[in-house]
Amino acid sequence: MFMFQRLLEGRPEGLCVRLCTLAFGLGVSFASGLPASGAGAEEAHAIAMHGKPAMPADFTHMPYVNPDAPKGGRLTWGVLGTFDSLNPFIVKGLAVQQMRNYVIESLLARGNDEPFTLYGLLARSVETDDERSFVTFHIDPRARFSDGKPVRAEDALFSWQLLRDHGRPNHRQYYGKVASAEAPDPLTVRFDLAGANDRELPLILGLMPILPKHAVDVAAFEETTLTGPVGSGPYRVTAVRPGASVTLTRNPDYWGRDLPINRGLYNFDEIRLDYFREANGQFEAFKRGLYDFRIEHEPLRWHDGYDFPAAKNGDVIRDTFKPGVPQPSEFLVFNTRRPIFADIRVRQALTLLFDFELVNRNYFFNLYSRVAGYFAGSDLSAYGHPSDTRERELLKPFAAQIPPDIMDGSYRLPVTDGSGRDRTTLRAALKLLSEAGYDLDGTVLRNRATKAPFTFEILVTTRDQERVALAFQRDLKRAGIEPSVRSVDPVQFDQRRLAYEFDMIQNRWDQSLSPGNEQYFYWGSAAADNPGTRNYMGARDPAVDAMIAALLEAREHTDFVSAVRALDRALISGFYTIPLFNVSEQWIARWNRIERPEATSLSGYLPETWWSKGQPQARQAK
């Protein structure tokens, strides 16, 4: 067996192909039919969506890590919600998302200081051509799964087929674009991308989770499971308390611990994920030291909730990060699948009725700003910018549906007087509602034809969401609208959100500086009625689909920016959401037993770069 393995790793031409066909018996067999190169093809240590990778081939570590971070200790996460599955690659169930990267690796790994650049991980190198009509990955012969079995091309082919046919909707969409795939030898996998017209697809395939063919039951893959998966990552699942906690333990035999991409990462011997069903209880547990850090999303709590003794005496440290990616933005989302929100004039009217100035002052201490669009705080945002020549060319077939003020950059979100009684916005909203077929009957807004009152439900799951919803409820009463606010636990909220069983919810979409295929998953027409996507509003707009296609085809950065801005204009024009606020900072609180690097990545905080400061303090029993 040892000699056979050496022959495979050396990849002698011809002999390797014959041996592998006999030894592995692939459903998609190793073949030498298509060449592994093409016009302009280069084998490289990394691949960037646009431009060149920032790190050279001989880099030793990433700039946002401490390469000498000590190993040891334990990191405890406090996670809001629950789980019933350890498989994050299927729609069914509520999965533990940390299985990705910590347990299951991909062929390439992100460089978090760049918009979208991937460096070698399971694959030691990547190869593509100028057209990106194919991509070839050369697997590191040292790569091993946690059970000791080698990672081979057959596992990459198996993972591609499995996720294409049985994975989440985004996986099926991405991997379905591949024309064909093959393995010229046991350590090489090649994907033919002819006709995809998607320059991001080689990177998407580089991020594909690689699952072991020998350890996955295909027949049961789409069912939830609490059995720890076999992966090639730095950690293994060692304990599971259903719905309550998961413990990951660092694999002492982890094959990739000395890779430059991993130096300074994954420093804890143990990672424990403790789940909490309720947000206030989760915060109280943090105050008692039952978990190590929390990502704070509530400005009220960040402003005046950290006055407990541990925060005052320095045992709890508060960090504020300003990442370089588009600002996360919160929205109230209309479910346009519901007849009551099908008319764009209704959505425009309700946007006018939301009193941001009042809410920001009274609830958020004026910590937030507000921008229409989905790429706030970056060059990708169209808000406030006139369209350029390329944008106008892209949007020309859809000019009738893009308002002139959105095209020329003069459109602004409504600004109230902050009193909660702004009459100008109220009159404008009632005019739009009348045009949509609704009239005031005394103090009740009714459908002109059916006389049914205008009412809907706002679904919330946190205290902050409830406060915003109740404030909006008061705003809407002035127009004769009586919405109900229903608070549910995080589990029910996620289930209803994924199944689109809501009228209105609060949601945020986190964006990168290199938006790509995931935009179809967020608001593409094909995702509108496919449960499990993030097209919560049910957008079905040919303009949106066309702009996503354009950004995927863009070769130059300037053309890419124009395509993303054109997408932003199409989305703003649809009035699918009410913009609530933009978050320009990341708020992290951590106990001082956890240390972090001085440098911060472009994407902000990264728990995988942290380490235990000396001996971890004893935790109280939960």
Side-chain angles (χ1 to χ4, degrees):
M1 179 63 188
F2 176 77
M3 182 171 292
F4 179 69
Q5 182 173 321
R6 289 291 299 273
L7 285 170
L8 297 185
E9 293 180 359
R11 294 189 286 174
E13 184 136 2
L15 174 61
C16 182
V17 173
R18 291 192 297 273
L19 287 174
C20 292
T21 302
L22 290 172
F24 294 110
L26 275 174
V28 178
S29 63
F30 291 106
S32 56
L34 291 175
S37 62
E42 286 186 18
E43 185 175 347
H45 72 293
I47 181 172
M49 182 61 193
H50 299 103
K52 300 293 183 182
M55 304 301 291
D58 60 351
F59 79 99
T60 59
H61 63 274
M62 287 296 178
Y64 46 82
V65 306
N66 172 8
D68 301 315
K71 306 293 184 182
R74 183 177 74 189
L75 178 69
T76 302
W77 294 40
V79 185
L80 185 62
T82 188
F83 69 95
D84 59 11
S85 178
L86 299 182
N87 183 355
F89 308 120
I90 59 173
V91 172
K92 190 173 182 179
L94 297 172
V96 177
Q97 295 303 316
Q98 286 79 4
M99 294 298 101
R100 191 71 169 89
N101 298 326
Y102 285 90
V103 177
I104 305 292
E105 292 182 311
S106 51
L107 294 164
L108 306 176
R110 284 183 181 273
N112 289 291
D113 249 6
E114 301 166 69
F116 195 10
T117 299
L118 304 181
Y119 293 85
L121 185 57
L122 285 171
R124 59 177 172 78
S125 62
V126 57
E127 186 177 354
T128 189
D129 60 357
D130 291 337
E131 299 296 324
R132 295 194 175 176
S133 63
F134 79 95
V135 64
T136 298
F137 300 98
H138 302 284
I139 296 173
D140 193 318
R142 299 169 294 177
R144 297 288 184 274
F145 291 109
S146 59
D147 60 3
K149 294 187 180 298
V151 179
R152 291 292 183 255
E154 65 166 343
D155 298 301
L157 288 172
F158 169 76
S159 301
W160 165 66
Q161 290 177 315
L162 180 70
L163 296 171
R164 179 197 62 188
D165 299 338
H166 303 283
R168 295 183 65 85
N170 55 325
H171 292 142
R172 300 185 190 206
Q173 176 183 313
Y174 301 160
Y175 307 148
K177 294 183 178 183
V178 175
S180 63
E182 62 178 7
D185 63 57
L187 294 175
T188 304
V189 60
R190 183 187 191 279
F191 296 95
D192 178 8
L193 313 180
N197 295 319
D198 183 347
R199 295 185 59 77
E200 189 189 40
L201 195 51
L203 287 83
I204 293 294
L205 291 166
L207 288 176
M208 179 175 65
I210 301 302
L211 306 171
K213 182 183 180 184
H214 66 273
V216 175
D217 181 357
V218 176
F221 182 72
E222 293 189 57
E223 299 300 319
T224 60
T225 179
L226 293 177
T227 300
V230 174
S232 62
Y235 290 87
R236 296 179 293 192
V237 177
T238 52
V240 178
R241 292 175 55 214
S245 72
V246 176
T247 300
L248 309 178
T249 302
R250 190 145 55 88
N251 180 4
D253 299 319
Y254 172 48
W255 76 274
R257 60 183 177 274
D258 297 323
L259 294 176
I261 190 68
N262 284 333
R263 189 172 181 190
L265 301 182
Y266 309 120
N267 301 308
F268 296 95
D269 284 343
E270 184 178 285
I271 294 176
R272 175 168 162 165
L273 309 167
D274 283 340
Y275 284 76
F276 298 86
R277 297 292 291 257
E278 190 271 326
N280 289 332
Q282 181 194 27
F283 183 58
E284 291 302 316
F286 177 73
K287 290 163 62 175
R288 293 171 55 197
L290 297 185
Y291 60 96
D292 291 317
F293 76 98
R294 64 179 280 110
I295 306 158
E296 189 57 74
H297 295 299
E298 296 193 11
L300 175 62
R301 180 174 287 144
W302 187 251
H303 187 267
D304 60 14
Y306 286 80
D307 58 353
F308 52 94
K312 289 180 177 179
N313 65 25
D315 289 339
V316 167
I317 300 168
R318 293 201 293 167
D319 294 321
T320 299
F321 301 102
K322 287 186 174 291
V325 296
Q327 297 171 0
S329 303
E330 294 280 345
F331 303 88
L332 286 173
V333 182
F334 297 105
N335 186 351
T336 64
R337 304 170 188 85
R338 299 287 204 253
I340 199 168
F341 293 139
D343 193 315
I344 191 173
R345 294 168 296 189
V346 169
R347 305 196 296 271
Q348 290 174 308
L350 269 60
T351 300
L352 286 167
L353 291 170
F354 180 75
D355 195 334
F356 168 74
E357 284 66 34
L358 179 67
V359 170
N360 195 32
R361 184 183 69 243
N362 290 350
Y363 296 164
F364 301 145
F365 305 95
N366 289 318
L367 290 172
Y368 289 148
S369 58
R370 189 184 188 216
V371 170
Y374 300 83
F375 305 93
S378 75
D379 288 341
L380 302 177
S381 176
Y383 188 68
H385 298 282
S387 57
D388 60 27
T389 302
R390 177 58 178 157
E391 288 180 72
R392 291 192 293 273
E393 180 184 340
L394 289 170
L395 290 169
K396 186 176 181 179
F398 314 100
Q401 68 189 69
I402 311 294
D405 58 347
I406 292 178
M407 283 298 295
D408 66 23
S410 63
Y411 170 73
R412 294 295 184 272
L413 286 166
V415 176
T416 70
D417 59 14
S419 67
R421 298 180 298 277
D422 190 285
R423 298 185 64 81
T424 302
T425 54
L426 177 61
R427 282 194 296 270
L430 288 173
K431 182 176 184 296
L432 285 167
L433 290 166
S434 178
E435 292 172 2
Y438 294 92
D439 295 321
L440 271 175
D441 178 12
T443 60
V444 178
L445 187 73
R446 297 184 183 277
N447 183 290
R448 190 176 301 137
T450 67
K451 305 304 179 185
F454 191 115
T455 185
F456 62 93
E457 179 183 86
I458 307 175
L459 189 70
V460 301
T461 188
T462 68
R463 181 181 65 173
D464 226 30
Q465 289 181 3
E466 185 174 31
R467 285 158 57 88
V468 170
L470 290 173
F472 191 37
Q473 183 185 55
R474 290 193 295 270
D475 294 338
L476 294 173
K477 283 184 178 179
R478 298 174 55 238
I481 300 170
E482 187 71 50
S484 60
V485 177
R486 183 176 181 184
S487 181
V488 297
D489 63 55
V491 176
Q492 187 177 353
F493 184 85
D494 281 342
Q495 289 172 338
R496 289 186 58 176
R497 179 172 59 175
L498 290 171
Y500 314 134
E501 294 176 356
F502 62 86
D503 297 331
M504 176 178 283
I505 58 170
Q506 184 173 328
N507 189 68
R508 76 184 243 181
W509 289 270
D510 291 338
Q511 295 282 8
S512 74
L513 289 171
S514 184
N517 273 279
E518 78 285 347
Q519 303 302 302
Y520 280 125
F521 191 62
Y522 290 174
W523 21 71
S525 297
D529 293 314
N530 196 354
T533 76
R534 298 192 70 190
N535 187 349
Y536 303 124
M537 67 272 281
R540 301 178 190 84
D541 186 346
V544 169
D545 295 339
M547 296 312 104
I548 297 173
L551 69 89
L552 291 175
E553 295 170 8
R555 286 175 172 244
E556 302 298 328
H557 184 68
T558 53
D559 288 342
F560 173 75
V561 171
S562 295
V564 178
R565 286 189 176 185
L567 170 63
D568 204 23
R569 294 184 204 280
L571 289 168
I572 295 171
S573 300
F575 287 89
Y576 300 110
T577 64
I578 300 174
L580 295 181
F581 50 81
N582 308 110
V583 184
S584 61
E585 299 175 333
Q586 295 174 341
W587 299 328
I588 310 295
R590 59 184 166 92
W591 282 81
N592 64 3
R593 55 185 173 248
I594 302 301
E595 193 56 89
R596 66 171 180 85
E598 292 184 11
T600 303
S601 75
L602 185 71
S603 58
Y605 73 95
L606 295 171
E608 58 266 37
T609 67
W610 301 348
W611 64 91
S612 179
K613 184 179 180 181
Q615 294 298 317
Q617 298 175 12
R619 293 167 173 78
Q620 301 177 44
K622 182 178 178 181

